[in-house]
Amino acid sequence: MSIDEYKGLMVFAEQREGKIHPVAYELLGKGTEIAQKLNVEVSAIVLGSNMGDELNELFYHGAQTVYVFDHPVLADFDLLNYKHNIARLVNEVKPETILIGATHLGRSLAPRIAAAVNTGLTADCTALEVGEEGNLVQIRPAFSGNIFAYIRTTTRPQMATVRYKVMQALPRDTSRKGGLIQKEPDIIDSMLKIVGKETTGGVNIAEADVIVCGGRGVKRSNDFALLQELADALGGITGCTRPIVDDGWMGKEHQVGFSGHTVKPKLYVAVGVSGSPQHLAGMRDSDVILAINADPSAPIFRLADYGIVGDLYEVVPKLVAEVRQRS
Ligand SMILES: Cc1cc2nc3c(=O)[nH]c(=O)nc-3n(C[C@H](O)[C@H](O)[C@H](O)COP(=O)(O)OP(=O)(O)OC[C@H]3O[C@@H](n4cnc5c(N)ncnc54)[C@H](O)[C@@H]3O)c2cc1C
């Protein structure tokens, strides 16, 4: 099949409990920018059950066409049925580019769709560009986050998963409209049965406005209580670097960085964090960064807006007292 037969850009709109995940809006924002350069259409595909008005949000955020597969089996993530129905649509519509959020769900789904439609996949992109010949240039950290790889695909569709919080959504505009196309789902027996749902302790670090992140400068796991005090005083939550997770001091849901979460809070306080490339990859776009480190040559200070050189065990309690006094 000729690659010229493929046209347009399609965003997979993940939903949870009937609510569209905001990464879909970010992908529609970037997708619109790419589609305008190539003069093609942006569509979204969503699988769910009785999504109602929530589907309009996809138009408000830039989708020109929305393909919907509606069935009770699709209310929750059913890997085989999701893959099967998306692959059917991709083979029918032939989008040139497909963007999927690099969430847990997206990371599991995207390679399976790629295999089903016989194409490649660039996982975990942090930037996308349009190349000279109109190809999608898929940019992602490589070699443990030390370099950025620029990847072009010769097959179609061009598929990429993109990290949450790295692209900009369009401002919500309720005057945007588009075409809703209901597709008949083909439900297969995936043998999936949901027996219960568990949350990760209510921590959603990607959405936090204030994050107090602790690194190996924190000497004992109990000392994270200090950071928690600062986070509470600032109305935020605690995060950590990877060694802290590796040591079992905090759960993976708190980890910021290349192999953890990408975050974009209004305020990021890095406490006893050196600022490795792998850590910076997850927090460099924070609005304001305050670093507290005993070593004035720590790389984190090169990125930080404000820095305090000092022992965190002296600095953090003073900060807590100061914040409490002012609030
Ligand atoms: C494939 C791969 C993926 C990775 N993914 C991630 C990731 O997602 N997230 C991540 O964070 N890392 C990740 N890493 C690990 C990364 O390379 C670093 O090892 C890690 O970020 C270092 O964590 P740290 O800053 O806590 O520790 P360190 O580098 O040991 O830094 C500790 C800092 O604390 C300071 N300090 C010590 N005592 C005090 C004190 N009393 N007061 C104030 N400051 C003090 C020191 O000066 C130092 O700068 C990854 C590595 C690889 C290879």
Side-chain angles (χ1 to χ4, degrees), residues 178-249:
L180 189 70
I181 301 180
Q182 292 279 354
K183 301 299 289 185
E184 191 60 41
D186 180 29
I187 301 299
I188 52 176
D189 182 9
S190 66
M191 291 182 294
L192 177 90
K193 275 202 178 62
I194 295 177
V195 288
K197 291 184 186 177
E198 253 183 57
T199 57
T200 50
V203 177
N204 191 352
I205 199 162
E207 302 292 348
D209 279 343
V210 177
I211 297 172
V212 177
C213 178
R216 237 180 340 209
V218 181
K219 301 291 180 264
R220 291 164 297 269
S221 66
N222 286 348
D223 298 345
F224 265 87
L226 254 184
L227 275 62
Q228 186 65 55
E229 271 187 58
L230 182 57
D232 290 344
L234 292 166
I237 64 173
T238 49
C240 66
T241 60
R242 179 160 137 175
I244 302 300
V245 175
D246 292 346
D247 286 349
W249 291 7

Side-chain angles (χ1 to χ4, degrees), residues 26 164-166 204-213 234-239 254-257 261-270 279-290 303 305:
E26 296 178 5
Y164 180 33
K165 292 273 174 184
V166 300
N204 191 352
I205 199 162
E207 302 292 348
D209 279 343
V210 177
I211 297 172
V212 177
C213 178
L234 292 166
I237 64 173
T238 49
H254 292 269
Q255 185 189 320
V256 175
H261 295 273
T262 304
V263 298
K264 232 185 213 176
K266 293 191 175 116
L267 174 63
Y268 191 84
V269 187
H279 187 76
L280 302 186
M283 45 64 75
R284 62 167 64 252
D285 291 329
S286 304
D287 288 352
V288 174
I289 299 169
L290 163 65
L303 183 71
D305 300 285

Side-chain angles (χ1 to χ4, degrees), residues 57-80:
E57 294 297 326
L58 294 167
F59 297 121
Y60 301 162
H61 288 87
Q64 292 161 287
T65 301
V66 175
Y67 297 96
V68 189
F69 288 85
D70 188 309
H71 193 281
V73 165
L74 304 173
D76 287 304
F77 179 45
D78 179 321
L79 181 54
L80 291 186

Side-chain angles (χ1 to χ4, degrees), residues 78-98:
D78 179 321
L79 181 54
L80 291 186
N81 272 302
Y82 271 45
K83 180 209 74 175
H84 175 60
N85 284 287
I86 295 171
R88 280 174 60 224
L89 185 76
V90 169
N91 285 329
E92 180 195 323
V93 176
K94 298 189 178 58
E96 189 181 21
T97 300
I98 303 174

Side-chain angles (χ1 to χ4, degrees), residues 144-145 214-219 240-244 252 255-261 271-279 292-295 298-299 310-313:
S144 308
R216 237 180 340 209
V218 181
K219 301 291 180 264
C240 66
T241 60
R242 179 160 137 175
I244 302 300
K252 180 90 179 163
Q255 185 189 320
V256 175
F258 179 62
S259 53
H261 295 273
V271 185
V273 172
S274 61
S276 66
Q278 293 82 12
H279 187 76
I292 302 165
N293 198 302
D295 176 5
D311 183 344
L312 70 93
Y313 289 90

